[in-house]
Amino acid sequence: MTKRTMALVQGAWRCRSLLLVLWICLHSVVLAEDTSVASFTLFDNGASSGGVEVSLARSEFRQEKEGDEDEDDEKGVAFAMDMSRRIEVSKYKAPKPVLAIKAFREDGERVTTFEQLLPENGDDTPSRRRVYLVAEGLEFVWPFVALGHNQTVSSKALPPIAEGAPLVVLESMSDKPRVFRIYNMFSPVEAQAIIDNALNLTGKDALKRSTVGSSKDENDETMNREDVGRTSHNAWDHESPAAKAMIQRSFLLTTMEEDSGKRDGLQVVRYTPGQGYNTHPDYFVRTDDDEFNFYPYSGGSNRFATVFMYLNDVEQGGFTVFPRADGVVPSRDPPADGLAMFKSGSWEHTVTKQCYSKLALPAKLGTAALFYSVTPDGQIDPSSHHGACPVLSGTKWGANIWLWNRQRYGDVQTGDRRSVTFINAATDPEETVYITWEGRDNGVIEPGTSIKLDTFEYHRFNARFGGHKNGPAFDYFTVQNEPDHQTWTIKRPKVHTLEEDDEEEEDDSDDEEDYTVEDGDEL
């Protein structure tokens, strides 16, 4: 081989090597760019089907602009609003299109950053994220997905009960009503602590025969009403460390901000053989109070979700049954000796048979039931009627909390004295605010001024424009346990519109590219 030929060959190899290095560098850039694109499936709130496949570059993730957001605005609103263009968001009776202001991942994390849309680091076969949009004024509802589907809750959304403890898991039991079985939410030690505390309570919160509401006696005094359809005993635990932990985790489980005005107290119940609770709803209806708005889709408030925790193992019976759910469990014959405990035709006899033919969650220590009284689009769900199957042998201990989508309705509660300063900070335009308490006129606040009221713990105040009786309240405030003096700064509700977001997008059109929607889904 001549020197010239050798030089040519060596030059060719150098060129090939350079090309190889260049290809590797370009390929690395492409890979790096790929990790900056999030591919996820977008769903309506609580939906198990109808998702839209979306690919989103990091630069396309819409965030709140500095200086444009109110101090009370939450992160992630701009992203949720943007995604509202990609899929139809549901809210009963709301004019179309409906705007979402919250987005959640499949594991319960609220989406506020682009990184949350990427698959979890370390996955050998990373799965596409699922993202759920929640309409303004509504709350996130966990999706059913499929019968028996197990969903691990993010530790950022709901931390495990102790360091090294397993994460909380939801098992899908029913689509309508929406029912889940919950694992790893509390420890046996905490369960026993709640039982022990209930047995030692005294006064109005002590363990006593359960009631189903209140009525007036012959002297027009309020009295609790017993009912043959509810034969258990119950207590109320507001203060024990275990109860506070259960309450906090229940709010986190439902992705709701903890607020004592959005819950009833933690109820502890005990059932002995033969005792149970006939089929009933947890929600309220207009006939309970025709002056209160119980419909979440129109800005009203109701019991949104129930978390029922099983504090011990029951020998026989004691299920939580959902007789209006689809028959998703094999029918099985109830024990003959169990049915023999009750008169044929009695509610106990009927419910016991349903407990072995309808959807029924067993009472197992350490597990819980989560079910919704409100649908993802804000309607009351009549299929959520449920019952406590009579205990056939042994004792059943449980604890439950009712969570409200907004400030709760209920009997007037009075705790210790507190004072509250009400500040009218409504602007654009300024407007007089009218304060009411339990339907009573309680003050008028001119623009830019304030008033101070002496009140009590648990009192709930409403704010309206236009008059004390002028339509539904636009904001609510419940007096908390502490501090002794509290402040409520009343602001005009921020109204989000797609038109406003369109104007922002036009301003940014030179800097941002369009979103990519795959598979030809129509928006």
Side-chain angles (χ1 to χ4, degrees), residues 326-344:
D326 293 334
V328 295
V329 293
S331 295
R332 53 206 187 280
D333 294 328
D337 56 345
L339 281 179
M341 295 172 60
F342 311 110
K343 182 180 178 181
S344 179

Side-chain angles (χ1 to χ4, degrees), residues 102-231:
K102 292 184 286 188
F104 291 86
R105 291 195 324 193
E106 76 285 347
D107 60 0
E109 280 191 29
R110 183 168 179 179
V111 178
T112 60
T113 66
F114 175 81
E115 283 71 23
Q116 290 173 288
L117 301 174
L118 299 172
E120 185 175 358
N121 292 331
D123 284 357
D124 294 331
T125 55
S127 58
R128 181 185 292 263
R129 289 286 186 198
R130 289 178 279 117
V131 176
Y132 298 84
L133 297 183
V134 181
E136 187 169 13
L138 299 182
E139 296 290 344
F140 172 67
V141 174
W142 287 97
F144 171 68
V145 183
L147 178 62
H149 174 76
N150 287 323
Q151 176 61 60
T152 300
V153 181
S154 167
S155 61
K156 294 180 180 178
L158 176 53
I161 60 176
E163 186 176 354
L167 297 176
V168 174
V169 175
L170 293 85
E171 180 185 3
S172 297
M173 304 302 295
S174 170
D175 187 17
K176 188 172 179 61
R178 194 63 56 85
V179 181
F180 300 92
R181 194 177 184 191
I182 312 300
Y183 302 88
N184 309 325
M185 188 174 166
F186 59 95
S187 70
V189 172
E190 290 173 317
Q192 190 60 49
I194 287 182
I195 293 173
D196 293 341
N197 188 66
L199 290 170
N200 291 308
L201 286 170
T202 59
K204 63 182 179 64
D205 291 334
L207 195 68
K208 59 176 68 72
R209 170 68 188 270
S210 299
T211 58
V212 294
S214 60
S215 58
K216 300 291 186 180
D217 62 15
E218 57 185 13
N219 297 318
D220 201 36
E221 296 290 333
T222 300
M223 57 178 291
N224 291 326
R225 187 174 71 253
E226 295 181 359
D227 189 277
V228 295
R230 189 183 188 193
T231 52

Side-chain angles (χ1 to χ4, degrees), residues 45 102 134 137-142 178 250-251 253-256 262-264 282-284 294 296 300-307 370-381 384 401-406 408:
N45 186 22
K102 292 184 286 188
V134 181
L138 299 182
E139 296 290 344
F140 172 67
V141 174
W142 287 97
R178 194 63 56 85
S250 295
F251 274 105
L253 176 67
T254 54
T255 74
M256 296 174 63
K262 291 184 177 181
R263 64 167 175 83
D264 300 276
D282 279 351
Y283 58 78
F284 291 83
F294 289 112
S301 180
N302 214 316
R303 284 176 174 170
F304 168 69
T306 301
V307 182
L370 165 65
F371 56 93
Y372 292 92
S373 295
V374 175
T375 61
D377 65 352
Q379 299 184 71
I380 302 301
D381 187 1
S384 65
I401 181 169
W402 296 288
L403 301 177
W404 293 67
N405 63 294
R406 300 189 75 172
R408 67 181 289 276

